[in-house]
Amino acid sequence: MATHKGECFCGTVQVEVSGEPEGMGYCHCQSCRSWSGGPVNAFTLWKPAAVRITAGAEQVGMFQKTQVSQRQYCKKCGGHLMTTHPPFGLIDVFAATLPTLAFNPGLHVNYAETVLPMRDGLPKLRDFPTELGGSGERMRE
Ligand SMILES: [Zn+2]
Ligand SMILES: [Zn+2]
């Protein structure tokens, strides 16, 4: 089984994912933008069993603003690691956290909130897919 290792900005927190992600893409929501400091969040989604913190677990902080997202970061360097989504049963280990994983995005979510339109031909969902409780509605690029 393929494994990929990642770490926070200072390297204290080490994470490892195994197998294949459940999905990959870009989130354009205002929350991701505000928390990440970037115009979009490149996500890779994993079942919780596929994600392990292998070092520095005591330095992992968490901030939860909404029911949907538990945002995790390193308390030492402030570097962002991943976001757990309890209602979806999935963890977004940020693509930037996993340098060896080939990032193959499949869709864009929360595109209604975009500040960085991306004309790459991939589906652009207004909010979330229906299986995650969204409208599933597509938008033009
Ligand atoms: Zn750190
Ligand atoms: Zn988002």
Side-chain angles (χ1 to χ4, degrees), residues 117-134:
M118 295 164 77
R119 294 182 180 85
D120 56 8
L122 294 173
K124 307 289 184 311
L125 299 192
R126 179 174 295 285
D127 41 76
F128 285 111
T130 50
E131 57 268 35
L132 297 182

Side-chain angles (χ1 to χ4, degrees), residues 80-102:
H80 297 176
L81 294 160
M82 62 183 108
T83 297
T84 300
H85 296 296
F88 306 158
L90 293 168
I91 298 175
D92 167 13
V93 182
F94 306 132
T97 304
L98 299 170
T100 63
L101 178 73

Side-chain angles (χ1 to χ4, degrees), residues 4-131:
H4 296 278
K5 295 180 195 306
E7 59 184 32
C8 67
F9 189 56
C10 75
T12 300
V13 181
Q14 306 272 330
V15 298
E16 192 175 287
V17 296
S18 50
E20 296 297 321
E22 303 296 311
M24 298 192 245
Y26 300 98
C27 183
H28 294 255
C29 84
Q30 197 274 334
S31 286
C32 281
R33 199 153 62 231
S34 177
W35 197 64
S36 73
V40 296
N41 174 42
F43 63 81
T44 76
L45 297 171
W46 305 80
K47 293 259 169 65
V51 180
R52 279 196 321 135
I53 293 173
T54 54
E58 72 286 348
Q59 289 294 336
V60 176
M62 192 271 280
F63 186 80
Q64 180 163 9
K65 187 177 184 180
T66 69
Q67 290 303 308
V68 181
S69 298
Q70 297 173 336
R71 297 173 183 271
Q72 293 169 64
Y73 59 94
C74 169
K75 288 190 263 187
K76 208 163 158 185
C77 69
H80 297 176
L81 294 160
M82 62 183 108
T83 297
T84 300
H85 296 296
F88 306 158
L90 293 168
I91 298 175
D92 167 13
V93 182
F94 306 132
T97 304
L98 299 170
T100 63
L101 178 73
F103 183 63
N104 294 310
L107 79 171
H108 296 253
V109 299
N110 294 312
Y111 202 67
E113 299 176 45
T114 193
V115 296
L116 182 66
M118 295 164 77
R119 294 182 180 85
D120 56 8
L122 294 173
K124 307 289 184 311
L125 299 192
R126 179 174 295 285
D127 41 76
F128 285 111
T130 50
E131 57 268 35

